[in-house]
mmCIF file of all heavy atoms in Angstrom:
data_model
loop_
_atom_site.group_PDB
_atom_site.id
_atom_site.type_symbol
_atom_site.label_atom_id
_atom_site.label_comp_id
_atom_site.label_asym_id
_atom_site.label_seq_id
_atom_site.Cartn_x
_atom_site.Cartn_y
_atom_site.Cartn_z
ATOM 1 N N GLU M 142 166.001 98.809 62.929
ATOM 2 C CA GLU M 142 165.080 98.984 64.056
ATOM 3 C C GLU M 142 164.991 97.710 64.917
ATOM 4 O O GLU M 142 163.927 97.472 65.530
ATOM 5 C CB GLU M 142 163.712 99.410 63.524
ATOM 6 C CG GLU M 142 163.697 100.763 62.815
ATOM 7 C CD GLU M 142 164.042 101.880 63.754
ATOM 8 O OE1 GLU M 142 163.623 101.872 64.931
ATOM 9 O OE2 GLU M 142 164.713 102.833 63.324
ATOM 10 N N LEU M 143 166.019 96.908 64.949
ATOM 11 C CA LEU M 143 165.974 95.691 65.712
ATOM 12 C C LEU M 143 166.006 96.012 67.220
ATOM 13 O O LEU M 143 166.550 97.038 67.614
ATOM 14 C CB LEU M 143 167.232 94.842 65.385
ATOM 15 C CG LEU M 143 167.400 94.360 63.964
ATOM 16 C CD1 LEU M 143 168.773 93.738 63.769
ATOM 17 C CD2 LEU M 143 166.291 93.372 63.627
ATOM 18 N N ASN M 144 165.406 95.103 67.978
ATOM 19 C CA ASN M 144 165.563 95.310 69.467
ATOM 20 C C ASN M 144 167.006 95.115 69.823
ATOM 21 O O ASN M 144 167.793 94.485 69.122
ATOM 22 C CB ASN M 144 164.567 94.417 70.229
ATOM 23 C CG ASN M 144 164.938 92.969 70.217
ATOM 24 O OD1 ASN M 144 166.078 92.588 70.464
ATOM 25 N ND2 ASN M 144 163.942 92.127 69.933
ATOM 26 N N ARG M 145 167.401 95.693 70.929
ATOM 27 C CA ARG M 145 168.818 95.746 71.343
ATOM 28 C C ARG M 145 169.488 94.369 71.431
ATOM 29 O O ARG M 145 170.571 94.211 70.844
ATOM 30 C CB ARG M 145 168.961 96.529 72.634
ATOM 31 C CG ARG M 145 170.394 96.696 73.051
ATOM 32 C CD ARG M 145 170.455 97.605 74.286
ATOM 33 N NE ARG M 145 171.843 97.865 74.632
ATOM 34 C CZ ARG M 145 172.437 97.463 75.711
ATOM 35 N NH1 ARG M 145 171.788 96.729 76.592
ATOM 36 N NH2 ARG M 145 173.705 97.760 75.968
ATOM 37 N N PRO M 146 168.912 93.404 72.083
ATOM 38 C CA PRO M 146 169.615 92.092 72.151
ATOM 39 C C PRO M 146 169.808 91.480 70.782
ATOM 40 O O PRO M 146 170.896 90.857 70.563
ATOM 41 C CB PRO M 146 168.681 91.212 73.037
ATOM 42 C CG PRO M 146 167.921 92.221 73.854
ATOM 43 C CD PRO M 146 167.726 93.412 72.967
ATOM 44 N N VAL M 147 168.870 91.580 69.893
ATOM 45 C CA VAL M 147 169.002 91.017 68.543
ATOM 46 C C VAL M 147 170.117 91.742 67.766
ATOM 47 O O VAL M 147 170.985 91.126 67.149
ATOM 48 C CB VAL M 147 167.641 91.017 67.785
ATOM 49 C CG1 VAL M 147 167.872 90.672 66.337
ATOM 50 C CG2 VAL M 147 166.653 90.125 68.422
ATOM 51 N N ALA M 148 170.093 93.075 67.862
ATOM 52 C CA ALA M 148 171.129 93.871 67.185
ATOM 53 C C ALA M 148 172.509 93.532 67.728
ATOM 54 O O ALA M 148 173.451 93.306 66.966
ATOM 55 C CB ALA M 148 170.823 95.334 67.320
ATOM 56 N N LEU M 149 172.630 93.440 69.051
ATOM 57 C CA LEU M 149 173.915 93.144 69.646
ATOM 58 C C LEU M 149 174.408 91.730 69.324
ATOM 59 O O LEU M 149 175.604 91.526 69.141
ATOM 60 C CB LEU M 149 173.865 93.405 71.165
ATOM 61 C CG LEU M 149 173.802 94.879 71.560
ATOM 62 C CD1 LEU M 149 173.606 95.008 73.044
ATOM 63 C CD2 LEU M 149 174.994 95.628 71.082
ATOM 64 N N GLN M 150 173.455 90.759 69.223
ATOM 65 C CA GLN M 150 173.863 89.392 68.839
ATOM 66 C C GLN M 150 174.461 89.449 67.444
ATOM 67 O O GLN M 150 175.464 88.801 67.163
ATOM 68 C CB GLN M 150 172.677 88.454 68.924
ATOM 69 C CG GLN M 150 173.095 87.020 68.646
ATOM 70 C CD GLN M 150 174.077 86.504 69.685
ATOM 71 O OE1 GLN M 150 173.769 86.478 70.857
ATOM 72 N NE2 GLN M 150 175.296 86.085 69.244
ATOM 73 N N ARG M 151 173.814 90.185 66.564
ATOM 74 C CA ARG M 151 174.342 90.286 65.173
ATOM 75 C C ARG M 151 175.689 90.964 65.154
ATOM 76 O O ARG M 151 176.584 90.579 64.440
ATOM 77 C CB ARG M 151 173.351 91.062 64.319
ATOM 78 C CG ARG M 151 172.113 90.216 64.025
ATOM 79 C CD ARG M 151 171.199 90.849 62.976
ATOM 80 N NE ARG M 151 170.050 90.053 62.810
ATOM 81 C CZ ARG M 151 168.972 90.399 62.101
ATOM 82 N NH1 ARG M 151 168.995 91.568 61.441
ATOM 83 N NH2 ARG M 151 167.948 89.635 62.017
ATOM 84 N N VAL M 152 175.869 91.976 65.994
ATOM 85 C CA VAL M 152 177.168 92.676 66.077
ATOM 86 C C VAL M 152 178.245 91.680 66.560
ATOM 87 O O VAL M 152 179.307 91.562 65.945
ATOM 88 C CB VAL M 152 177.113 93.862 67.103
ATOM 89 C CG1 VAL M 152 178.476 94.363 67.479
ATOM 90 C CG2 VAL M 152 176.265 94.997 66.476
ATOM 91 N N ALA M 153 177.955 90.894 67.580
ATOM 92 C CA ALA M 153 178.921 89.921 68.108
ATOM 93 C C ALA M 153 179.270 88.899 67.010
ATOM 94 O O ALA M 153 180.454 88.550 66.819
ATOM 95 C CB ALA M 153 178.398 89.252 69.355
ATOM 96 N N ASP M 154 178.248 88.438 66.300
ATOM 97 C CA ASP M 154 178.485 87.439 65.246
ATOM 98 C C ASP M 154 179.311 88.002 64.115
ATOM 99 O O ASP M 154 180.256 87.354 63.603
ATOM 100 C CB ASP M 154 177.149 86.955 64.697
ATOM 101 C CG ASP M 154 176.350 86.094 65.674
ATOM 102 O OD1 ASP M 154 176.918 85.618 66.695
ATOM 103 O OD2 ASP M 154 175.108 85.998 65.462
ATOM 104 N N VAL M 155 179.068 89.255 63.736
ATOM 105 C CA VAL M 155 179.815 89.884 62.658
ATOM 106 C C VAL M 155 181.248 90.090 63.027
ATOM 107 O O VAL M 155 182.216 89.836 62.250
ATOM 108 C CB VAL M 155 179.143 91.207 62.193
ATOM 109 C CG1 VAL M 155 180.041 92.020 61.323
ATOM 110 C CG2 VAL M 155 177.835 90.875 61.471
ATOM 111 N N ILE M 156 181.486 90.608 64.259
ATOM 112 C CA ILE M 156 182.875 90.817 64.710
ATOM 113 C C ILE M 156 183.605 89.479 64.777
ATOM 114 O O ILE M 156 184.740 89.369 64.331
ATOM 115 C CB ILE M 156 182.885 91.565 66.071
ATOM 116 C CG1 ILE M 156 182.383 92.988 65.916
ATOM 117 C CG2 ILE M 156 184.326 91.541 66.654
ATOM 118 C CD1 ILE M 156 182.226 93.751 67.217
ATOM 119 N N LYS M 157 182.954 88.457 65.331
ATOM 120 C CA LYS M 157 183.581 87.173 65.452
ATOM 121 C C LYS M 157 184.026 86.630 64.099
ATOM 122 O O LYS M 157 185.168 86.199 63.898
ATOM 123 C CB LYS M 157 182.664 86.178 66.119
ATOM 124 C CG LYS M 157 183.284 84.770 66.312
ATOM 125 C CD LYS M 157 182.297 83.850 66.977
ATOM 126 C CE LYS M 157 182.804 82.422 67.046
ATOM 127 N NZ LYS M 157 182.877 81.782 65.715
ATOM 128 N N SER M 158 183.150 86.664 63.122
ATOM 129 C CA SER M 158 183.462 86.110 61.818
ATOM 130 C C SER M 158 184.444 86.990 61.052
ATOM 131 O O SER M 158 185.228 86.457 60.242
ATOM 132 C CB SER M 158 182.207 85.883 60.987
ATOM 133 O OG SER M 158 181.572 87.096 60.726
ATOM 134 N N SER M 159 184.486 88.260 61.325
ATOM 135 C CA SER M 159 185.370 89.187 60.601
ATOM 136 C C SER M 159 186.837 88.918 60.837
ATOM 137 O O SER M 159 187.693 89.084 59.962
ATOM 138 C CB SER M 159 185.033 90.618 60.921
ATOM 139 O OG SER M 159 185.523 90.944 62.197
ATOM 140 N N GLY M 160 187.141 88.480 62.043
ATOM 141 C CA GLY M 160 188.577 88.250 62.377
ATOM 142 C C GLY M 160 188.873 86.799 62.604
ATOM 143 O O GLY M 160 189.927 86.459 63.116
ATOM 144 N N SER M 161 187.900 85.931 62.295
ATOM 145 C CA SER M 161 188.054 84.487 62.564
ATOM 146 C C SER M 161 188.411 84.279 64.062
ATOM 147 O O SER M 161 189.240 83.486 64.372
ATOM 148 C CB SER M 161 189.099 83.873 61.646
ATOM 149 O OG SER M 161 188.715 83.967 60.322
ATOM 150 N N TYR M 162 187.752 85.082 64.900
ATOM 151 C CA TYR M 162 187.963 84.978 66.337
ATOM 152 C C TYR M 162 187.165 83.791 66.903
ATOM 153 O O TYR M 162 186.142 83.396 66.335
ATOM 154 C CB TYR M 162 187.545 86.259 67.022
ATOM 155 C CG TYR M 162 188.295 87.487 66.540
ATOM 156 C CD1 TYR M 162 187.622 88.607 66.185
ATOM 157 C CD2 TYR M 162 189.678 87.457 66.419
ATOM 158 C CE1 TYR M 162 188.279 89.753 65.731
ATOM 159 C CE2 TYR M 162 190.365 88.602 65.955
ATOM 160 C CZ TYR M 162 189.672 89.709 65.611
ATOM 161 O OH TYR M 162 190.319 90.850 65.180
ATOM 162 N N ARG M 163 187.594 83.247 67.996
ATOM 163 C CA ARG M 163 186.884 82.126 68.616
ATOM 164 C C ARG M 163 185.695 82.568 69.427
ATOM 165 O O ARG M 163 184.657 81.906 69.462
ATOM 166 C CB ARG M 163 187.842 81.345 69.502
ATOM 167 C CG ARG M 163 187.125 80.141 70.124
ATOM 168 C CD ARG M 163 187.924 79.431 71.092
ATOM 169 N NE ARG M 163 188.397 80.369 72.082
ATOM 170 C CZ ARG M 163 189.018 80.016 73.166
ATOM 171 N NH1 ARG M 163 189.305 78.778 73.368
ATOM 172 N NH2 ARG M 163 189.448 80.882 74.055
ATOM 173 N N TRP M 164 185.801 83.745 70.121
ATOM 174 C CA TRP M 164 184.736 84.140 70.991
ATOM 175 C C TRP M 164 184.676 85.672 71.083
ATOM 176 O O TRP M 164 185.709 86.317 71.175
ATOM 177 C CB TRP M 164 185.013 83.590 72.410
ATOM 178 C CG TRP M 164 183.845 83.614 73.356
ATOM 179 C CD1 TRP M 164 182.880 82.680 73.508
ATOM 180 C CD2 TRP M 164 183.537 84.709 74.241
ATOM 181 N NE1 TRP M 164 182.004 83.100 74.471
ATOM 182 C CE2 TRP M 164 182.380 84.304 74.933
ATOM 183 C CE3 TRP M 164 184.101 85.931 74.545
ATOM 184 C CZ2 TRP M 164 181.791 85.135 75.919
ATOM 185 C CZ3 TRP M 164 183.517 86.701 75.516
ATOM 186 C CH2 TRP M 164 182.350 86.327 76.185
ATOM 187 N N VAL M 165 183.472 86.200 71.029
ATOM 188 C CA VAL M 165 183.271 87.660 71.176
ATOM 189 C C VAL M 165 182.076 87.832 72.114
ATOM 190 O O VAL M 165 181.026 87.207 71.929
ATOM 191 C CB VAL M 165 182.945 88.344 69.815
ATOM 192 C CG1 VAL M 165 182.516 89.784 70.029
ATOM 193 C CG2 VAL M 165 184.082 88.202 68.848
ATOM 194 N N GLY M 166 182.294 88.708 73.108
ATOM 195 C CA GLY M 166 181.184 89.023 74.047
ATOM 196 C C GLY M 166 180.998 90.516 74.121
ATOM 197 O O GLY M 166 181.966 91.272 73.959
ATOM 198 N N LEU M 167 179.796 90.957 74.313
ATOM 199 C CA LEU M 167 179.448 92.352 74.483
ATOM 200 C C LEU M 167 178.883 92.518 75.905
ATOM 201 O O LEU M 167 178.002 91.694 76.339
ATOM 202 C CB LEU M 167 178.452 92.848 73.442
ATOM 203 C CG LEU M 167 178.973 92.691 71.992
ATOM 204 C CD1 LEU M 167 177.841 93.075 71.026
ATOM 205 C CD2 LEU M 167 180.198 93.566 71.780
ATOM 206 N N TYR M 168 179.309 93.522 76.616
ATOM 207 C CA TYR M 168 178.957 93.713 78.032
ATOM 208 C C TYR M 168 178.427 95.096 78.271
ATOM 209 O O TYR M 168 178.827 96.115 77.605
ATOM 210 C CB TYR M 168 180.221 93.532 78.884
ATOM 211 C CG TYR M 168 180.670 92.094 78.945
ATOM 212 C CD1 TYR M 168 181.400 91.570 77.895
ATOM 213 C CD2 TYR M 168 180.417 91.302 80.031
ATOM 214 C CE1 TYR M 168 181.873 90.227 77.960
ATOM 215 C CE2 TYR M 168 180.846 89.996 80.064
ATOM 216 C CZ TYR M 168 181.568 89.480 79.044
ATOM 217 O OH TYR M 168 182.025 88.170 79.101
ATOM 218 N N ASP M 169 177.539 95.196 79.277
ATOM 219 C CA ASP M 169 177.098 96.459 79.826
ATOM 220 C C ASP M 169 177.919 96.762 81.067
ATOM 221 O O ASP M 169 178.191 95.840 81.851
ATOM 222 C CB ASP M 169 175.618 96.419 80.270
ATOM 223 C CG ASP M 169 174.652 96.681 79.142
ATOM 224 O OD1 ASP M 169 175.020 97.370 78.172
ATOM 225 O OD2 ASP M 169 173.493 96.156 79.216
ATOM 226 N N VAL M 170 178.233 98.037 81.289
ATOM 227 C CA VAL M 170 178.877 98.465 82.527
ATOM 228 C C VAL M 170 177.825 99.197 83.338
ATOM 229 O O VAL M 170 177.296 100.223 82.915
ATOM 230 C CB VAL M 170 180.053 99.402 82.207
ATOM 231 C CG1 VAL M 170 180.668 99.944 83.470
ATOM 232 C CG2 VAL M 170 181.132 98.659 81.366
#
């Protein structure tokens, strides 16, 4: 039940660490 920005920040962090990626961004269209 996290607010959207907090949930999306966690999503970006998890994706970044999962692939040892340098940068992950999430965008609205």
Side-chain angles (χ1 to χ4, degrees):
E142 295 295 324
L143 298 171
N144 71 48
R145 183 174 186 247
V147 170
L149 289 173
Q150 185 63 60
R151 289 188 183 173
V152 165
D154 292 341
V155 167
I156 292 173
K157 181 180 174 291
S158 65
S159 73
S161 299
Y162 302 131
R163 181 187 54 175
W164 194 90
V165 173
L167 300 174
Y168 290 79
D169 275 333
V170 175

